[in-house]
Amino acid sequence: MLRFLTKELVSVCLLSLIIITGYSQQNEKPYIVLLSLDGFRHDFPEKYPTPNLDSIAKDGVRAKALLPCFPTKTFPNHYSIVTGLYPDHHGIVANKFYDPASGKVFALGSKEKFNPVFYGGEPIWNVAEAQGIKTAAYFWPGSDVPVHGKYPSIWKKYDKQTTLAQRLDSVVYWLQLPPENRPHFIALYLEQPDMDEHEFGPWSEEAKQQVLLADSLVGVLRCAINALPIADQVNLIIVSDHGLVETSNTRSISLEEYIPARWLANPETMGSPVVFLKAKPEYYDSIQSVIVTIPHTKGYVSKYMPRRFHFGKNPRCLDFTVVAESGWSIITNPPEKIKKGNHGYDNENKDMWAIFYATGPAFKKGYVQKTFLNISIYPLIAQILGISIPPADGKLKLVRRMLNTHSE
Ligand code: AMP
Ligand code: ZN
Ligand code: ZN
């Protein structure tokens, strides 16, 4: 599988070398390709050979780690990266949640995923387009939804079956469009190694192969970009949304044993390892006293969660938030199969930490950035593209040292 896909990807790279034609009229503005490798743990490059990421670190920037937002799930974090907001502020508070205002349930596989009412903030593609900069996205969470009625200039409806090679081909093709149609910001999403980490565990041979594949993909993408006439204008940023930790069906807590469904106004408590509970008024006090006693979990009144979470004031977090201890699962209603790996835990947990690598004309060479929260990627991208952004939680001052324009 790895060998096959890698060959396929190398051919994409060679093909791009062959079909490149020079453009007489070059647009001098910078380009950004933002690639997300779902679930790529911050320490994978220490444990496995990742020559292509290492080479980006040498020629550009590497962060010691990228801190995800809480909860460390895919949709909240990808959407935080492109809005610069904590999930509490952009509203995608989990991959699946109940919205008391509309009475609707947001879920990735449902039609509600496409309902813009759930999506707050201003995705970077909307901000850039409003300032005359074309953008594109291949499956970035939120990009196939008309947020405030708008999409990137080029976008695709999410389809898991689309091969890596197809996605790469398109990105390289978009960078060769005539200047007036060529996107200056491209967001690309890949499901792995997350999928195999869930299925087989983050330290399984299967997950390792996906890590190696993801790294070779990075190499192919870089090689294809380097062969473009606009190569010296392109910045490549590689991120992940969170890490993963081993889970087991020997480490699970049945919520129902502590909080009977009849106490709840939302008997559906989906989303291990983080669940949101809405109390029937007459059981509010009972739940409040019980949630701090459930073993291998931490229970909070959502709106009084410790400040470091920046989470819980959004009404979608309901009355109470219960978070499992690392590696533990909460048996939810409806019950989900406990697989061999999961994420969603406290973002202070290092197993949840993600990666950030970047190279291109905007970045210093060989710079190691201290660990930072992913919401600062939004002002960083805006700075590189030269666009202004609405107020955000992420702060440029925390990351601008990695930019070429910043001198100590
Ligand atoms: P999770 O591991 O549960 O946090 O979510 C990862 C899953 O999210 C992936 O396996 C994808 O199938 C799914 N996913 C990623 N992007 C999208 C998208 N744009 N639309 C719907 N589902 C997505
Ligand atoms: Zn993810
Ligand atoms: Zn996942």
Side-chain angles (χ1 to χ4, degrees):
M1 169 80 170
L2 173 67
R3 222 179 320 144
F4 168 72
L5 273 173
T6 308
K7 254 196 227 156
E8 200 181 352
L9 295 172
V10 168
S11 71
V12 173
C13 181
L14 293 177
L15 186 69
S16 72
L17 280 168
I18 294 161
I19 59 176
I20 282 158
T21 52
Y23 294 115
S24 50
Q25 194 196 355
Q26 289 298 336
N27 188 338
E28 293 301 314
K29 286 195 179 141
Y31 294 85
I32 296 179
V33 177
L34 173 66
L35 164 65
S36 167
L37 305 171
D38 198 325
F40 202 106
R41 283 178 59 113
H42 79 284
D43 52 356
F44 275 156
E46 288 160 32
K47 314 272 181 193
Y48 299 131
T50 49
N52 294 295
L53 286 173
D54 298 349
S55 150
I56 292 184
K58 186 163 83 47
D59 299 340
V61 174
R62 164 183 74 87
K64 286 186 175 157
L66 181 65
L67 250 155
C69 295
F70 178 81
T72 51
K73 287 280 189 189
T74 297
F75 252 62
N77 275 286
H78 278 90
Y79 201 60
S80 283
I81 292 170
V82 294
T83 58
L85 299 174
Y86 292 112
D88 221 26
H89 296 160
H90 63 55
I92 305 293
V93 297
N95 285 349
K96 201 172 177 191
F97 58 86
Y98 170 74
D99 177 36
S102 61
K104 290 181 171 151
V105 172
F106 175 92
L108 300 194
S110 82
K111 71 175 186 354
E112 293 306 334
K113 192 208 81 172
F114 298 99
N115 187 344
V117 82
F118 289 109
Y119 297 79
E122 282 294 352
I124 194 77
W125 49 81
N126 279 4
V127 178
E129 297 269 350
Q131 293 172 53
I133 293 178
K134 292 238 178 301
T135 64
Y138 216 129
F139 297 164
W140 196 277
S143 63
D144 58 359
V145 180
V147 179
H148 306 301
K150 305 225 168 57
Y151 295 97
S153 285
I154 307 173
W155 61 278
K156 306 268 183 183
K157 187 169 175 201
Y158 183 66
D159 174 7
K160 214 176 185 152
Q161 304 309 326
T162 313
T163 64
L164 302 183
Q166 272 174 283
R167 300 180 201 195
L168 261 197
D169 267 345
S170 294
V171 168
V172 176
Y173 172 74
W174 295 339
L175 289 170
Q176 297 174 81
L177 286 170
E180 62 276 17
N181 297 332
R182 197 186 301 148
H184 279 262
F185 172 78
I186 300 175
L188 169 61
Y189 168 81
L190 304 179
E191 292 85 356
Q192 293 282 20
D194 176 89
M195 274 166 58
D196 281 13
E197 289 178 85
H198 281 294
E199 215 46 53
F200 306 104
W203 301 113
S204 61
E205 182 57 28
E206 289 84 350
K208 175 182 173 184
Q209 291 306 318
Q210 291 299 338
V211 171
L212 303 188
L213 175 60
D215 182 71
S216 34
L217 178 78
V218 167
V220 171
L221 180 59
R222 218 180 148 203
C223 156
I225 289 173
N226 284 340
L228 296 170
I230 55 163
D232 58 2
Q233 288 162 252
V234 182
N235 296 287
L236 176 61
I237 304 177
I238 320 278
V239 297
S240 58
D241 50 349
H242 52 72
L244 256 99
V245 69
E246 276 175 329
T247 44
S248 156
N249 46 22
T250 62
R251 291 192 297 272
S252 71
I253 293 293
S254 168
L255 195 68
E256 170 81 26
E257 274 178 33
Y258 301 87
I259 300 173
R262 69 190 158 78
W263 290 9
L264 297 172
N266 70 320
E268 273 197 83
T269 55
M270 57 260 173
S272 179
V274 180
V275 298
F276 306 134
L277 309 175
K278 185 161 180 57
K280 283 188 182 157
E282 63 275 30
Y283 290 110
Y284 186 99
D285 297 338
S286 314
I287 297 177
Q288 187 168 358
S289 50
V290 170
I291 51 156
V292 291
T293 67
I294 307 172
H296 302 293
T297 69
K298 285 240 158 63
Y300 304 95
V301 175
S302 296
K303 63 182 175 210
Y304 299 131
M305 282 183 80
R307 210 185 116 66
R308 68 178 182 83
F309 285 103
H310 296 278
F311 191 79
K313 298 207 168 45
N314 191 302
R316 294 170 188 169
C317 308
L318 309 182
D319 297 331
F320 303 101
T321 300
V322 182
V323 190
E325 208 173 82
S326 188
W328 282 75
S329 303
I330 297 176
I331 299 176
T332 51
N333 177 25
E336 287 170 7
K337 182 172 177 260
I338 298 174
K339 294 186 177 174
K340 295 201 169 147
N342 206 4
H343 52 92
Y345 302 96
D346 193 331
N347 59 345
E348 266 196 351
N349 172 355
K350 284 194 175 174
D351 286 315
M352 297 297 107
W353 289 8
I355 55 163
F356 177 94
Y357 288 81
T359 183
F363 294 97
K364 286 184 180 158
K365 288 195 189 322
Y367 186 80
V368 180
Q369 162 74 40
K370 65 179 185 201
T371 299
F372 69 100
L373 257 164
N374 62 14
I375 47 175
S376 287
I377 294 173
Y378 183 75
L380 183 76
I381 290 173
Q383 176 75 9
I384 297 171
L385 293 178
I387 56 175
S388 44
I389 45 170
D393 295 320
K395 298 288 171 250
L396 181 64
K397 68 170 193 271
L398 300 178
V399 289
R400 69 177 166 214
R401 279 199 167 75
M402 69 171 85
L403 293 176
N404 254 333
T405 46
H406 188 275
S407 50
E408 292 302 320

